[in-house]
Amino acid sequence: MYSFRYFILLLMLPFFAHADDKFQFFTIGTGGVTGVYYSAGNAICRLVNKNFVKNKMRCAVESTAGSEFNIRSVRDKNFVFGLVQAGIHYKAYKGIEGFVSRKPYKSLRSLFSLHDEVFTVMVRSDKGINTLNDLKNKIVNGGDEGSGTRIGAIQLMDFAGFNKAQLSALTYFKPDQTTAALCSDKIAAYIYMVGHPARNIIESTEGCDAKILAVTGTAAEGLDNVPYYSKYTIAGGIYKNNPNDIETYSVRATLITDKSTSDMMVYNLVKSVIEKIEDFKEMHPAFSTLSIKTMVTQGLSAPLHNGAKKYYRERGFL
């Protein structure tokens, strides 16, 4: 349930988000409070708000269901910016799959990409589950409705050979509910697309000796043919009970907005982050390997916003 403060801010957005000569307040749609999207949004806002006096911009984050919700909220002008998976970004821009009921979102724009969102399949070590195939006919959590995790989970399980009934049975626990559900045997596994290290995964591995399954077999073959997925290795030893490297797949997280958003607002936001990229990288371990080159060139499933392009060209990044 969103706060009263949130609704007041929404009423203010149409005035503040497009008034280049006045104080501008904007909200970034993120994800669950235990996920990296929420941390990323807070990190962006921290850097933007440091330049409040100079740029006359103030930033806040809102915890949401995730990528799909954020895309729709930006499109409907409920948020100015949102964090989304590049795959969801791609589908919305093209108007395919979950976005087929609406026209292609051709005014969708990118600012920069961030960390890898990694397919992370968690199971209890004591349940004899060693492959994705072992999850058939078991209770699996596919993530909150409206999240990129849920869309990715359905795609992953489809490639793994789950039938329609099994896909329909995927539960809807939110990220901050998954450890309790797994450790109390309400679910046999949960799928989470998240940057590493992640609080949820730490809680599950320490709370009930959970382990991460590798993404192999037909699931891997299917993901190999999707343009926005890449192979990814979760390093061994990051989490308790997971000493070995784990092979899986990932997709980039991207900050997005609408074409109609003020060029100056986008320019100042991008500048605030890129000029302090080393500070940004220290705000969460998942950001530690970011480089400006990959942020500007990878995971951008829609064109760069003109305000972002202006800054990148001035700095020689384009």
Side-chain angles (χ1 to χ4, degrees):
M1 194 75 177
Y2 295 124
S3 65
F4 177 75
R5 176 184 65 84
Y6 169 71
F7 288 109
I8 293 298
L9 295 179
L10 288 185
L11 292 175
M12 297 163 65
L13 282 178
F15 174 75
F16 288 132
H18 303 283
D20 290 341
D21 60 341
K22 298 179 181 179
F23 171 84
Q24 298 171 304
F25 180 91
F26 61 86
T27 300
I28 300 176
T30 59
V33 294
T34 60
V36 182
Y37 276 15
Y38 191 75
S39 297
N42 275 299
I44 292 167
C45 283
R46 191 180 307 175
L47 295 177
V48 168
N49 292 340
K50 282 185 176 180
N51 295 319
F52 165 66
V53 174
K54 179 180 178 181
N55 295 331
K56 297 181 181 178
M57 290 167 48
R58 178 70 73 180
C59 172
V61 302
E62 194 68 34
S63 174
T64 74
S67 295
E68 185 177 4
F69 181 93
N70 293 341
I71 286 273
R72 296 183 188 280
S73 295
V74 169
R75 186 171 194 165
D76 295 339
K77 302 295 191 292
N78 293 326
F79 293 148
V80 180
F81 300 98
L83 285 160
V84 304
Q85 290 175 11
I88 310 302
H89 194 184
Y90 177 88
K91 293 171 185 177
Y93 186 70
K94 298 286 187 180
I96 60 175
E97 295 186 28
F99 296 90
V100 75
S101 62
R102 304 189 71 166
K103 293 180 181 179
Y105 187 5
K106 292 301 183 181
S107 64
L108 180 61
R109 293 293 182 267
S110 307
L111 277 74
F112 49 73
S113 66
L114 290 169
H115 57 283
D116 285 290
E117 292 282 288
V118 184
F119 275 113
T120 311
V121 185
M122 301 299 300
V123 300
R124 289 264 295 268
S125 297
D126 58 356
K127 298 300 180 181
I129 300 172
N130 298 305
T131 69
L132 294 178
N133 194 57
D134 294 333
L135 292 175
K136 290 180 179 177
N137 299 313
K138 291 184 169 60
I139 300 174
V140 179
N141 187 64
D144 195 15
E145 187 171 11
S147 68
T149 285
R150 186 160 194 88
I151 293 173
I154 291 171
Q155 193 170 30
L156 177 68
M157 295 294 95
D158 183 32
F159 286 143
F162 277 47
N163 61 40
K164 289 184 178 180
Q166 292 165 337
L167 292 174
S168 297
L170 291 174
T171 59
Y172 289 86
F173 288 108
K174 299 177 186 296
D176 59 357
Q177 300 171 320
T178 51
T179 290
L182 184 70
C183 293
S184 63
D185 279 337
K186 290 182 179 178
I187 56 176
Y190 69 83
I191 301 167
Y192 194 17
M193 296 189 72
V194 68
H196 290 281
R199 195 168 96 192
N200 275 62
I201 312 306
I202 293 171
E203 290 173 351
S204 296
T205 54
E206 295 184 352
C208 52
D209 291 328
K211 67 179 182 180
I212 306 171
L213 294 186
V215 176
T216 58
T218 59
E221 292 170 6
L223 294 174
D224 279 335
N225 293 316
V226 180
Y228 43 81
Y229 289 127
S230 302
K231 291 182 178 179
Y232 187 94
T233 301
I234 301 174
I238 293 179
Y239 302 109
K240 178 185 175 183
N241 200 44
N242 290 267
N244 302 317
D245 289 354
I246 301 149
E247 299 306 315
T248 182
Y249 287 75
S250 70
V251 63
R252 301 281 289 197
T254 310
L255 183 66
I256 59 96
T257 192
D258 191 87
K259 180 182 179 180
S260 63
T261 303
S262 158
D263 286 1
M264 187 55 67
M265 175 182 280
V266 172
Y267 179 96
N268 286 332
L269 184 153
V270 170
K271 181 178 180 180
S272 295
V273 173
I274 299 301
E275 289 194 346
K276 295 294 183 181
I277 190 62
E278 294 305 317
D279 292 342
F280 184 86
K281 288 163 65 173
E282 293 179 357
M283 292 181 187
H284 192 283
F287 309 148
S288 62
T289 60
L290 289 178
S291 72
I292 296 173
K293 180 178 179 180
T294 58
M295 292 170 71
V296 174
T297 60
Q298 296 182 12
L300 307 178
S301 299
L304 283 168
H305 190 282
N306 284 339
K309 285 195 288 188
K310 175 177 167 58
Y311 176 76
Y312 296 143
R313 284 170 176 159
E314 287 179 359
R315 292 291 309 274
F317 299 136
L318 289 179

